Amino acid sequence: MRSPRRCSRNGCPRQAVATLTYVYNESTAVVGPLAAFAEPHTYDLCEPHARSLTAPRGWDVVRHEGEFEPPPPTTDDLVALAEAVREAARPAPRPPEDDQTLPANPQTGRRGHLRVIPPHH
């Protein structure tokens, strides 16, 4: 199953709820709601890191003023969950029977899960 996006900060295990984008030609860091897709030049942040972010000297920070909401499950997440439920619902395979429990009759044998019984005369 695909895990939720995590904060880009080193060592932070929290789920990302915001995306940081640097607009270099305007010397601005923009912190907004989590982008739909992870982009190469953006950074995903958890709420504490999104709220406490500071920019380099001479730069401005534009920050989303509303609540940062965790993203809704994606189709991939829902498909993975459905597959996990189906897998859990499958019956467990039966352990193979021990061949020593069969009678020692040489004309009786096993073929896979079937037992061969000779005809009675």
Side-chain angles (χ1 to χ4, degrees):
M1 183 185 316
R2 196 172 60 93
S3 60
R5 284 164 44 193
R6 299 279 175 209
C7 183
S8 297
R9 292 292 187 105
N10 283 338
C12 183
R14 290 186 286 264
Q15 182 178 2
V17 296
T19 297
L20 166 64
T21 306
Y22 289 108
V23 183
Y24 292 97
N25 62 350
E26 295 179 20
S27 300
T28 304
V30 179
V31 180
L34 187 65
F37 301 100
E39 297 291 332
H41 301 290
T42 63
Y43 303 90
D44 293 339
L45 299 174
C46 63
E47 186 164 5
H49 284 126
R51 298 250 181 246
S52 66
L53 178 88
T54 58
R57 187 174 313 171
W59 282 57
D60 294 319
V61 176
V62 175
R63 196 180 322 266
H64 173 71
E65 292 299 322
E67 293 296 314
F68 289 112
E69 298 289 329
T74 65
T75 302
D76 290 347
D77 294 333
L78 296 175
V79 168
L81 179 60
E83 288 172 1
V85 169
R86 273 194 294 271
E87 183 67 30
R90 286 193 183 122
R94 289 181 40 180
E97 291 182 25
D98 188 0
D99 285 336
Q100 295 174 354
T101 61
L102 296 176
N105 184 341
Q107 294 182 348
T108 302
R110 287 188 60 81
R111 300 286 183 266
H113 67 284
L114 303 174
R115 189 179 336 170
V116 177
I117 302 175
H120 292 286
H121 294 284

